[in-house]
Amino acid sequence: MTQAIVLGAGMVGVSTALHLQTCGWSVALVDRTGVGMETSYGNAGLIQGEAVEPYGMPRKLRQLWAIARGASNDVRYDLRSLPGHFAPLFRYWWHSAPKRHRRISAAYSQMAAAATREHQALIERASADHLVRREGFRVMERDEEAMAAALADAERVRAEYGVAFKFLSASELAAAEPALKQAGVGAIHWLNAWSVSDPGALTKAYAKSFTDAGGTISIGEALSLRQKASGSWQVDTQGGVLEAEHTVVALGPWSPELLRRFGYNYPMVRKRGYHRHYRCQPTLHIPLLDAANGYVMAPMARGLRITTGAELSAPNAPSTPWQLERAERAARELISLGEPVEDQPWLGTRPCMPAMLPVVGQAPRHKNLWLNFGHGHQGFTLGPVTGRALAELMSGEQGVL
Ligand SMILES: Cc1cc2nc3c(=O)[nH]c(=O)nc-3n(C[C@H](O)[C@H](O)[C@H](O)COP(=O)(O)OP(=O)(O)OC[C@H]3O[C@@H](n4cnc5c(N)ncnc54)[C@H](O)[C@@H]3O)c2cc1C
């Protein structure tokens, strides 16, 4: 009999299902579209071992003013949607105060430190090595002042957390990435980050190793979740009703919607992001973040993928890819970008919690309802870490963290 239903087959749900299976559980994974088709498909494909501190909300007046007047391409907002964001944004601002952010980073850095090790175990199990590069990624700066600030911050992160980086001058960056037409004032090369050529394919490869070992995957509707009087959980799938003693909510940005039906209010800062692939030959060897313009260029199987920063808009607002248009213009200064591969840009949402930590554990008022969501900017990185942590918690085993 199925012991656990995992709702959501993104990186977080797939990793949770795999780890439960390793702990001896019989597991059914349920998703309404398929495996790795949403946020875990559309991201920049970075496994960020260097991301030891979560993205805090900018608090300096200079930064806030740049966002307010639309000068920053990192963050954009739709004024009409701001009332809906107010409560989570206020909490996010509160948690982002330096003292609180430092405390949160102490926990976050432990997850980041485990990320590449935990991915490695799943990569080996899935024979997915061909999708992964272990050469880091680079953050390019365009002016000396910004580079001096970035270097000082990188030195601090190295001193506090032992994260390795290398400074590259403009000529060293140009030599490392001959496809670049200009190399700004150089780059910081974060050495212990990995990147993948197709994030959706890596999620699918992990899922295949789950089904190869006897797990099942069904197309189904998580919003049909209900608890029987006996305490067990049921959900409707195309193959019929699934029932299990335990269920895990790993629905990424859609998790609060389901949990509201059970009386829980999890405020989420929904940061939308866009991507598009471009034909590009010659292309980059590894991903590059253009810090001045707030986007990442990542070489992927479908082309050079440009991903944007955060957009605050209403949950079902139409696509407004202005940040992508600006990123594309900036990218064309750096590299010979060809035509876009897709007719329309992809759009997804980073599921960010105001306290910047994912929600991992048992739901406070429902027995055997487990939660694993809210991984924000780094869910592709952290899925295997919190997947293992939750599976061990559910199994009463020693935690990974
Ligand atoms: C532009 C962008 C760039 C990013 N870059 C990076 C990066 O480089 N590195 C990194 O670590 N992170 C990155 N992230 C963040 C990362 O992609 C997410 O944190 C992560 O993918 C979340 O994974 P998840 O499994 O929680 O959610 P998802 O991958 O979204 O999975 C949730 C699943 O739930 C399913 N679902 C939803 N509702 C229902 C329902 N009612 N019934 C059944 N199924 C349902 C969906 O179909 C989906 O498959 C980026 C995000 C964006 C938007």
Side-chain angles (χ1 to χ4, degrees):
M1 186 194 123
T2 304
Q3 293 168 292
I5 298 167
V6 177
L7 299 171
M11 181 52 87
V12 175
V14 169
S15 301
T16 308
L18 267 170
H19 279 293
L20 281 171
Q21 191 180 54
T22 304
C23 292
W25 294 60
S26 141
V27 186
L29 194 50
V30 175
D31 197 288
R32 66 180 169 196
T33 50
V35 173
M37 310 279 279
E38 298 283 358
T39 335
S40 297
Y41 156 73
N43 57 66
L46 296 171
I47 297 175
Q48 293 189 261
E50 94 299 343
V52 286
E53 295 178 336
Y55 282 98
M57 182 168 167
R59 288 174 64 98
K60 292 194 178 122
L61 272 180
R62 190 171 43 83
Q63 296 167 310
L64 291 170
W65 176 232
I67 294 168
R69 63 194 164 91
S72 156
N73 205 34
D74 291 335
V75 184
R76 205 200 134 254
Y77 63 93
D78 171 7
L79 198 57
R80 286 160 307 177
S81 77
L82 280 189
H85 288 287
F86 186 74
L89 273 186
F90 178 73
R91 290 190 196 201
Y92 185 26
W93 179 82
W94 191 83
H95 285 293
S96 299
K99 218 165 91 187
R100 295 185 196 102
H101 187 259
R102 254 195 311 280
R103 253 201 325 264
I104 291 165
S105 298
Y108 202 86
S109 60
Q110 290 191 31
M111 295 192 291
T116 51
R117 184 189 71 220
E118 292 302 322
H119 268 282
Q120 181 59 30
L122 301 192
I123 290 164
E124 277 169 26
R125 180 170 162 173
S127 306
D129 216 48
H130 58 288
L131 297 170
V132 184
R133 296 178 213 99
R134 295 180 178 78
E135 296 155 73
F137 85 101
R138 301 188 181 102
V139 180
M140 191 196 96
E141 298 291 350
R142 293 195 186 221
D143 70 73
E144 295 292 356
E145 194 189 341
M147 179 53 97
L151 255 178
D153 203 48
E155 294 287 5
R156 178 188 64 79
V157 166
R158 177 159 63 189
E160 283 181 29
Y161 304 96
V163 177
F165 77 90
K166 201 167 116 188
F167 167 71
L168 298 185
S169 65
S171 56
E172 286 168 331
L173 175 58
E177 291 287 12
L180 288 177
K181 294 190 280 185
Q182 55 147 305
V185 295
I188 290 182
H189 185 164
W190 293 104
L191 297 167
N192 55 357
W194 295 355
S195 63
V196 305
S197 58
D198 186 339
L202 188 69
T203 313
K204 284 184 167 66
Y206 290 178
K208 184 169 182 307
S209 72
F210 165 72
T211 50
D212 286 349
T216 65
I217 300 178
S218 311
I219 298 297
E221 179 48 72
L223 296 178
S224 67
L225 183 71
R226 59 221 174 244
Q227 190 169 28
K228 286 175 63 183
S230 63
S232 65
W233 294 91
Q234 284 187 333
V235 71
D236 297 336
T237 73
Q238 283 181 358
V241 175
L242 270 180
E243 184 167 335
E245 203 182 326
H246 298 256
T247 194
V248 179
V249 178
L251 297 168
W254 295 275
S255 303
E257 185 188 348
L258 171 64
L259 290 167
R260 264 195 297 277
R261 296 176 172 227
F262 294 90
Y264 298 102
N265 176 25
Y266 283 97
M268 185 180 267
V269 182
R270 299 170 51 87
K271 297 188 191 171
R272 300 213 305 195
Y274 297 83
H275 90 221
R276 203 170 196 181
H277 295 95
Y278 297 82
R279 294 187 179 85
C280 188
Q281 222 31 268
T283 192
L284 297 175
H285 293 306
I286 60 174
L288 183 79
L289 192 160
D290 177 359
N293 294 287
Y295 68 94
V296 173
M297 292 190 279
M300 297 246 175
R302 301 198 71 195
L304 190 66
R305 178 182 287 191
I306 293 186
T307 55
T308 65
E311 180 192 70
L312 298 175
S313 47
N316 295 317
S319 169
T320 49
W322 293 322
Q323 286 161 298
L324 185 65
E325 286 160 18
R326 189 165 151 187
E328 181 185 329
R329 279 197 299 277
R332 288 192 186 283
E333 295 167 5
L334 300 183
I335 197 163
S336 300
L337 215 54
E339 288 303 301
V341 172
E342 300 91 354
D343 289 341
Q344 295 299 327
W346 173 88
L347 164 64
T349 300
R350 299 172 180 88
C352 301
M353 306 315 290
M356 293 166 272
L357 291 169
V359 180
V360 183
Q362 182 151 210
R365 298 186 298 279
H366 289 79
K367 192 161 177 255
N368 298 341
L369 176 61
W370 301 89
L371 313 176
N372 196 358
F373 66 89
H375 296 65
H377 289 254
Q378 270 105 29
F380 189 68
T381 299
L382 299 178
V385 180
T386 66
R388 179 161 160 204
L390 184 66
E392 290 179 344
L393 188 67
M394 290 170 68
S395 311
E397 289 182 14
Q398 188 73 32
V400 63
L401 297 173

